[in-house]
Amino acid sequence: FEKGIRKISVIDLQKLAELLDVPISYFFNTDDMEQETPHVEVVFRAKGLIPTLHSQLETFVQFAERRATKPHIDHAAPNKEQSGWAGKIARHYLDKCGVNNAPIHTRQIAKFLNIPVFDWTLPENISGLTLFSDDCVCIGVNDQHPNVRQRFSIAHELGHIILHPPRSGKREVFVGIEFNDNEAGKLWGNENDTESQLEREANWFAADLLMPKHLLQKEYQGNNQQQLEALARKYDVSMQAMWIQIESLKLAR
């Protein structure tokens, strides 16, 4: 690193910070340090996030606040009374980014929308998180998770950014929790508390972004295992996610 033979990554810095027992900000430019905004308590929008995880995520929060940027998104409130509203919003952003084919590259969409995404070594049960700081955002995704999970996590966090921005000036963090199959199923169900609804909406958006109806309905030929496997491979999603989307779009027959 010191000789410039290899560029240092965020993960390298994180490991060095842990090894040397210093905050990751120790390695940042001192000019940036002088411009640091006053610390404001982070509000974690995640039910069931145990307090010890707050401190584990604070390193990323500090890093993300320095890298957060103002996203290029439309701020019109979605009409949630309209049928298929999440799919319509996802389609709008696919068109805006000029995406017409599967697989949908979520990192490229985030880049087009001026939303930084960083791979980060997060606790195993955290799939991703988004920092909202004033009007700026930054996404972190668990670098230990498989690619299909990372892709869905990024799409899910994009859903929060587009659908659930906090009031201007707020500093909040959405945290994506890893669920077992039974718990994950509840997020697609009918629980009425606010947090479940926000997570459910982000899931709908993620599914419609990764597996848009206008593409999927042209390719889905029937309910059989080989067809599902082929579509899951093409769209680079899990079999479970593909089947849930086919059912929700009422394509199964």
Side-chain angles (χ1 to χ4, degrees), residues 40-106:
V40 181
E41 183 179 1
V42 176
V43 177
F44 286 93
R45 295 202 217 176
K47 181 174 63 178
L49 185 65
I50 59 177
T52 54
L53 287 181
H54 288 202
S55 59
Q56 293 182 47
L57 299 177
E58 185 60 32
T59 300
F60 174 79
V61 170
Q62 291 176 8
F63 173 86
E65 192 151 38
R66 297 176 181 281
R67 302 299 190 272
T69 57
K70 191 169 183 176
H72 298 157
I73 61 174
D74 306 318
H75 294 285
N79 179 8
K80 297 181 181 179
E81 299 300 320
Q82 189 179 44
S83 176
W85 64 268
K88 290 180 173 66
I89 295 173
R91 174 70 184 272
H92 168 76
Y93 281 96
L94 289 172
D95 291 344
K96 184 174 183 175
C97 298
V99 177
N100 301 306
N101 300 297
I104 309 300
H105 299 293
T106 52

Side-chain angles (χ1 to χ4, degrees), residues 160-205:
H160 281 311
I161 292 169
I162 292 168
L163 303 175
H164 310 135
R167 294 188 304 275
S168 181
K170 299 288 284 185
R171 184 172 182 261
E172 297 184 339
V173 175
F174 269 109
V175 181
I177 307 292
E178 276 289 285
F179 296 96
N180 61 40
D181 289 345
N182 184 48
E183 292 169 330
K186 293 177 182 178
L187 292 182
W188 302 85
N190 297 310
E191 291 190 10
N192 293 321
D193 63 276
T194 300
E195 184 184 344
S196 293
Q197 181 63 25
L198 296 181
E199 291 301 307
R200 189 158 54 243
E201 290 175 0
N203 268 355
W204 291 341
F205 177 88

Side-chain angles (χ1 to χ4, degrees), residues 236-247:
D236 203 6
V237 297
S238 70
M239 285 275 290
Q240 180 191 28
M242 178 57 70
W243 176 243
I244 290 174
Q245 180 68 344
I246 285 172
E247 283 199 314

Side-chain angles (χ1 to χ4, degrees), residues 7-37:
K7 290 184 178 181
I8 195 164
S9 70
V10 172
I11 295 172
D12 293 326
L13 280 181
Q14 191 176 9
K15 291 178 179 177
L16 281 173
E18 293 172 357
L19 180 65
L20 300 175
D21 195 24
V22 296
I24 197 168
S25 58
Y26 175 85
F27 301 102
F28 297 160
N29 188 292
T30 53
D31 292 338
D32 291 340
M33 294 291 288
E34 292 172 0
Q35 298 172 15
E36 182 175 1
T37 55

Side-chain angles (χ1 to χ4, degrees), residues 6 24 38 41 48 61 98 131 156 234:
R6 180 160 76 86
I24 197 168
E41 183 179 1
V61 170
L131 170 75
H156 179 97
K234 179 170 183 177

